mmCIF file of all heavy atoms in Angstrom:
data_model
loop_
_atom_site.group_PDB
_atom_site.id
_atom_site.type_symbol
_atom_site.label_atom_id
_atom_site.label_comp_id
_atom_site.label_asym_id
_atom_site.label_seq_id
_atom_site.Cartn_x
_atom_site.Cartn_y
_atom_site.Cartn_z
ATOM 1 N N ARG A 6 -8.699 -20.937 -4.403
ATOM 2 C CA ARG A 6 -7.929 -20.664 -5.672
ATOM 3 C C ARG A 6 -8.659 -21.312 -6.877
ATOM 4 O O ARG A 6 -9.091 -22.481 -6.759
ATOM 5 C CB ARG A 6 -6.507 -21.178 -5.602
ATOM 6 C CG ARG A 6 -5.678 -20.264 -4.738
ATOM 7 C CD ARG A 6 -4.227 -20.667 -4.843
ATOM 8 N NE ARG A 6 -3.748 -20.396 -6.186
ATOM 9 C CZ ARG A 6 -2.579 -19.954 -6.518
ATOM 10 N NH1 ARG A 6 -1.755 -19.656 -5.555
ATOM 11 N NH2 ARG A 6 -2.232 -19.671 -7.771
ATOM 12 N N PRO A 8 -8.726 -23.207 -10.437
ATOM 13 C CA PRO A 8 -7.766 -24.064 -11.126
ATOM 14 C C PRO A 8 -7.187 -23.358 -12.327
ATOM 15 O O PRO A 8 -7.906 -22.541 -12.956
ATOM 16 C CB PRO A 8 -8.589 -25.300 -11.519
ATOM 17 C CG PRO A 8 -9.972 -24.936 -11.293
ATOM 18 C CD PRO A 8 -10.082 -23.737 -10.472
ATOM 19 N N ARG A 10 -6.253 -22.481 -15.925
ATOM 20 C CA ARG A 10 -6.862 -22.821 -17.250
ATOM 21 C C ARG A 10 -5.981 -22.316 -18.302
ATOM 22 O O ARG A 10 -5.116 -21.387 -18.119
ATOM 23 C CB ARG A 10 -8.266 -22.115 -17.300
ATOM 24 C CG ARG A 10 -9.192 -22.535 -16.239
ATOM 25 C CD ARG A 10 -10.504 -21.846 -16.397
ATOM 26 N NE ARG A 10 -10.406 -20.436 -16.040
ATOM 27 C CZ ARG A 10 -11.341 -19.547 -16.213
ATOM 28 N NH1 ARG A 10 -12.511 -19.935 -16.689
ATOM 29 N NH2 ARG A 10 -11.172 -18.346 -15.887
ATOM 30 N N THR A 13 -6.808 -20.621 -25.951
ATOM 31 C CA THR A 13 -6.176 -20.574 -27.266
ATOM 32 C C THR A 13 -5.759 -19.152 -27.611
ATOM 33 O O THR A 13 -6.401 -18.174 -27.110
ATOM 34 C CB THR A 13 -7.111 -21.129 -28.348
ATOM 35 O OG1 THR A 13 -8.228 -20.244 -28.432
ATOM 36 C CG2 THR A 13 -7.588 -22.485 -28.026
ATOM 37 N N GLU A 15 -6.483 -17.688 -30.307
ATOM 38 C CA GLU A 15 -7.639 -17.082 -30.944
ATOM 39 C C GLU A 15 -8.607 -16.526 -29.905
ATOM 40 O O GLU A 15 -9.138 -15.407 -30.119
ATOM 41 C CB GLU A 15 -8.415 -18.164 -31.800
ATOM 42 C CG GLU A 15 -7.564 -18.637 -32.998
ATOM 43 C CD GLU A 15 -6.552 -19.770 -32.634
ATOM 44 O OE1 GLU A 15 -6.621 -20.264 -31.564
ATOM 45 O OE2 GLU A 15 -5.663 -19.997 -33.474
ATOM 46 N N GLU A 19 -9.689 -12.536 -29.420
ATOM 47 C CA GLU A 19 -11.094 -12.064 -29.336
ATOM 48 C C GLU A 19 -11.312 -11.210 -28.129
ATOM 49 O O GLU A 19 -11.993 -10.166 -28.195
ATOM 50 C CB GLU A 19 -12.021 -13.286 -29.374
ATOM 51 C CG GLU A 19 -12.101 -13.946 -30.735
ATOM 52 C CD GLU A 19 -13.087 -15.149 -30.738
ATOM 53 O OE1 GLU A 19 -14.062 -15.042 -29.908
ATOM 54 O OE2 GLU A 19 -12.838 -16.069 -31.503
ATOM 55 N N CYS A 24 -11.869 -5.720 -25.663
ATOM 56 C CA CYS A 24 -11.304 -4.646 -24.769
ATOM 57 C C CYS A 24 -10.969 -3.400 -25.610
ATOM 58 O O CYS A 24 -11.183 -2.260 -25.159
ATOM 59 C CB CYS A 24 -10.131 -5.087 -24.034
ATOM 60 S SG CYS A 24 -10.518 -6.441 -22.868
ATOM 61 N N GLY A 27 -13.702 -0.471 -26.745
ATOM 62 C CA GLY A 27 -13.983 0.616 -25.901
ATOM 63 C C GLY A 27 -15.425 0.699 -25.320
ATOM 64 O O GLY A 27 -15.718 1.603 -24.507
ATOM 65 N N ASP A 28 -16.272 -0.191 -25.711
ATOM 66 C CA ASP A 28 -17.644 -0.148 -25.208
ATOM 67 C C ASP A 28 -17.796 -0.804 -23.830
ATOM 68 O O ASP A 28 -18.789 -0.627 -23.127
ATOM 69 C CB ASP A 28 -18.653 -0.684 -26.162
ATOM 70 C CG ASP A 28 -18.352 -2.086 -26.641
ATOM 71 O OD1 ASP A 28 -17.207 -2.541 -26.543
ATOM 72 O OD2 ASP A 28 -19.297 -2.781 -27.133
ATOM 73 N N ARG A 32 -12.336 -4.706 -16.940
ATOM 74 C CA ARG A 32 -12.960 -5.351 -15.827
ATOM 75 C C ARG A 32 -14.307 -6.048 -16.222
ATOM 76 O O ARG A 32 -14.559 -7.141 -15.871
ATOM 77 C CB ARG A 32 -13.231 -4.349 -14.708
ATOM 78 C CG ARG A 32 -13.935 -4.915 -13.462
ATOM 79 C CD ARG A 32 -13.993 -3.855 -12.383
ATOM 80 N NE ARG A 32 -14.908 -4.148 -11.307
ATOM 81 C CZ ARG A 32 -14.723 -5.122 -10.416
ATOM 82 N NH1 ARG A 32 -13.609 -5.853 -10.427
ATOM 83 N NH2 ARG A 32 -15.641 -5.378 -9.477
ATOM 84 N N ASP A 39 -15.878 -14.737 -17.237
ATOM 85 C CA ASP A 39 -15.332 -15.472 -16.015
ATOM 86 C C ASP A 39 -13.860 -15.615 -16.161
ATOM 87 O O ASP A 39 -13.275 -16.722 -16.061
ATOM 88 C CB ASP A 39 -16.042 -16.831 -15.941
ATOM 89 C CG ASP A 39 -15.703 -17.495 -14.613
ATOM 90 O OD1 ASP A 39 -15.498 -16.785 -13.619
ATOM 91 O OD2 ASP A 39 -15.662 -18.755 -14.574
ATOM 92 N N THR A 41 -9.901 -13.687 -15.032
ATOM 93 C CA THR A 41 -9.324 -12.758 -14.094
ATOM 94 C C THR A 41 -8.957 -11.425 -14.829
ATOM 95 O O THR A 41 -8.553 -11.462 -15.931
ATOM 96 C CB THR A 41 -8.078 -13.335 -13.333
ATOM 97 O OG1 THR A 41 -7.095 -13.445 -14.352
ATOM 98 C CG2 THR A 41 -8.462 -14.565 -12.658
ATOM 99 N N THR A 43 -6.558 -9.523 -14.156
ATOM 100 C CA THR A 43 -5.133 -9.515 -14.399
ATOM 101 C C THR A 43 -4.755 -10.133 -15.623
ATOM 102 O O THR A 43 -3.923 -9.718 -16.403
ATOM 103 C CB THR A 43 -4.414 -10.165 -13.226
ATOM 104 O OG1 THR A 43 -4.746 -9.459 -11.976
ATOM 105 C CG2 THR A 43 -2.890 -10.162 -13.391
ATOM 106 N N VAL A 45 -6.595 -10.752 -18.328
ATOM 107 C CA VAL A 45 -7.058 -9.991 -19.502
ATOM 108 C C VAL A 45 -6.137 -8.748 -19.760
ATOM 109 O O VAL A 45 -5.741 -8.460 -20.903
ATOM 110 C CB VAL A 45 -8.485 -9.486 -19.317
ATOM 111 C CG1 VAL A 45 -8.944 -8.643 -20.444
ATOM 112 C CG2 VAL A 45 -9.475 -10.698 -19.211
ATOM 113 N N ARG A 54 2.384 -5.146 -27.425
ATOM 114 C CA ARG A 54 3.763 -5.373 -27.717
ATOM 115 C C ARG A 54 3.924 -6.018 -29.106
ATOM 116 O O ARG A 54 4.788 -5.651 -29.919
ATOM 117 C CB ARG A 54 4.386 -6.296 -26.698
ATOM 118 C CG ARG A 54 4.649 -5.668 -25.394
ATOM 119 C CD ARG A 54 5.274 -6.584 -24.412
ATOM 120 N NE ARG A 54 5.423 -6.004 -23.073
ATOM 121 C CZ ARG A 54 5.131 -6.590 -21.951
ATOM 122 N NH1 ARG A 54 4.650 -7.846 -21.950
ATOM 123 N NH2 ARG A 54 5.247 -5.938 -20.801
ATOM 124 N N THR A 58 2.999 -1.236 -30.566
ATOM 125 C CA THR A 58 2.582 0.005 -29.913
ATOM 126 C C THR A 58 3.222 0.090 -28.499
ATOM 127 O O THR A 58 3.121 1.165 -27.893
ATOM 128 C CB THR A 58 1.113 0.078 -29.802
ATOM 129 O OG1 THR A 58 0.555 -1.086 -29.134
ATOM 130 C CG2 THR A 58 0.473 0.227 -31.188
ATOM 131 N N ARG A 59 3.846 -0.943 -27.993
ATOM 132 C CA ARG A 59 4.555 -0.909 -26.697
ATOM 133 C C ARG A 59 5.917 -1.482 -26.913
ATOM 134 O O ARG A 59 6.078 -2.445 -27.725
ATOM 135 C CB ARG A 59 3.872 -1.806 -25.631
ATOM 136 C CG ARG A 59 2.583 -1.182 -25.153
ATOM 137 C CD ARG A 59 2.043 -2.099 -24.075
ATOM 138 N NE ARG A 59 2.757 -1.914 -22.816
ATOM 139 C CZ ARG A 59 2.159 -1.424 -21.695
ATOM 140 N NH1 ARG A 59 0.914 -1.201 -21.669
ATOM 141 N NH2 ARG A 59 2.898 -1.369 -20.560
ATOM 142 N N THR A 60 6.866 -0.983 -26.234
ATOM 143 C CA THR A 60 8.271 -1.463 -26.397
ATOM 144 C C THR A 60 8.887 -1.824 -25.036
ATOM 145 O O THR A 60 10.091 -1.979 -24.921
ATOM 146 C CB THR A 60 9.119 -0.385 -27.036
ATOM 147 O OG1 THR A 60 9.130 0.810 -26.269
ATOM 148 C CG2 THR A 60 8.691 -0.029 -28.451
ATOM 149 N N THR A 64 8.107 -9.361 -27.568
ATOM 150 C CA THR A 64 6.970 -9.830 -28.347
ATOM 151 C C THR A 64 6.793 -11.328 -28.113
ATOM 152 O O THR A 64 7.699 -12.005 -27.654
ATOM 153 C CB THR A 64 7.134 -9.508 -29.816
ATOM 154 O OG1 THR A 64 8.238 -10.305 -30.324
ATOM 155 C CG2 THR A 64 7.377 -8.001 -30.099
ATOM 156 N N GLU A 67 9.590 -13.106 -29.899
ATOM 157 C CA GLU A 67 10.847 -12.991 -29.176
ATOM 158 C C GLU A 67 10.837 -13.954 -27.958
ATOM 159 O O GLU A 67 11.831 -14.560 -27.666
ATOM 160 C CB GLU A 67 11.063 -11.589 -28.749
ATOM 161 C CG GLU A 67 11.441 -10.610 -29.854
ATOM 162 C CD GLU A 67 11.387 -9.191 -29.515
ATOM 163 O OE1 GLU A 67 10.639 -8.775 -28.547
ATOM 164 O OE2 GLU A 67 12.041 -8.389 -30.166
ATOM 165 N N ARG A 76 16.545 -23.606 -24.299
ATOM 166 C CA ARG A 76 16.453 -25.092 -24.335
ATOM 167 C C ARG A 76 17.681 -25.668 -25.120
ATOM 168 O O ARG A 76 18.327 -26.597 -24.664
ATOM 169 C CB ARG A 76 15.153 -25.524 -25.055
ATOM 170 C CG ARG A 76 14.909 -27.005 -25.016
ATOM 171 C CD ARG A 76 13.551 -27.342 -25.649
ATOM 172 N NE ARG A 76 12.489 -26.733 -24.827
ATOM 173 C CZ ARG A 76 11.486 -26.044 -25.372
ATOM 174 N NH1 ARG A 76 11.401 -25.781 -26.671
ATOM 175 N NH2 ARG A 76 10.572 -25.517 -24.575
ATOM 176 N N GLU A 83 24.795 -29.724 -21.711
ATOM 177 C CA GLU A 83 24.769 -31.131 -21.256
ATOM 178 C C GLU A 83 25.722 -31.974 -22.168
ATOM 179 O O GLU A 83 26.442 -32.854 -21.667
ATOM 180 C CB GLU A 83 23.381 -31.721 -21.292
ATOM 181 C CG GLU A 83 22.452 -31.146 -20.208
ATOM 182 C CD GLU A 83 21.060 -31.490 -20.440
ATOM 183 O OE1 GLU A 83 20.678 -32.092 -21.477
ATOM 184 O OE2 GLU A 83 20.165 -31.134 -19.546
ATOM 185 N N ARG A 89 33.152 -33.815 -21.871
ATOM 186 C CA ARG A 89 34.227 -33.567 -20.922
ATOM 187 C C ARG A 89 34.544 -34.829 -20.037
ATOM 188 O O ARG A 89 35.697 -35.209 -19.840
ATOM 189 C CB ARG A 89 33.874 -32.429 -19.998
ATOM 190 C CG ARG A 89 35.040 -31.968 -19.073
ATOM 191 C CD ARG A 89 34.598 -30.964 -18.004
ATOM 192 N NE ARG A 89 33.622 -31.531 -17.075
ATOM 193 C CZ ARG A 89 33.951 -32.374 -16.088
ATOM 194 N NH1 ARG A 89 35.208 -32.736 -15.907
ATOM 195 N NH2 ARG A 89 33.013 -32.811 -15.252
ATOM 196 N N ARG A 98 42.356 -38.249 -14.710
ATOM 197 C CA ARG A 98 42.961 -37.001 -15.152
ATOM 198 C C ARG A 98 42.399 -36.684 -16.568
ATOM 199 O O ARG A 98 42.149 -37.544 -17.338
ATOM 200 C CB ARG A 98 44.467 -37.081 -15.176
ATOM 201 C CG ARG A 98 44.984 -37.225 -13.771
ATOM 202 C CD ARG A 98 46.351 -37.471 -13.764
ATOM 203 N NE ARG A 98 47.540 -37.176 -13.337
ATOM 204 C CZ ARG A 98 48.639 -37.575 -13.934
ATOM 205 N NH1 ARG A 98 48.650 -38.204 -15.077
ATOM 206 N NH2 ARG A 98 49.788 -37.421 -13.434
ATOM 207 N N SER A 101 42.912 -33.327 -21.786
ATOM 208 C CA SER A 101 43.149 -32.039 -22.379
ATOM 209 C C SER A 101 44.154 -31.279 -21.571
ATOM 210 O O SER A 101 44.408 -31.604 -20.468
ATOM 211 C CB SER A 101 41.849 -31.204 -22.440
ATOM 212 O OG SER A 101 41.388 -30.978 -21.096
ATOM 213 N N ALA A 102 44.657 -30.214 -22.213
ATOM 214 C CA ALA A 102 45.738 -29.374 -21.575
ATOM 215 C C ALA A 102 45.123 -28.490 -20.550
ATOM 216 O O ALA A 102 45.768 -27.856 -19.742
ATOM 217 C CB ALA A 102 46.472 -28.626 -22.630
#
Side-chain angles (χ1 to χ4, degrees):
R6 286 189 68 140
R10 300 180 291 172
T13 65
E15 295 80 15
E19 288 179 28
C24 293
D28 54 340
R32 178 175 167 72
D39 190 31
T41 63
T43 302
V45 174
R54 286 181 185 134
T58 57
R59 288 184 77 118
T60 58
T64 66
E67 291 168 334
R76 187 176 297 130
E83 290 169 356
R89 187 190 65 76
R98 291 174 137 191
S101 64

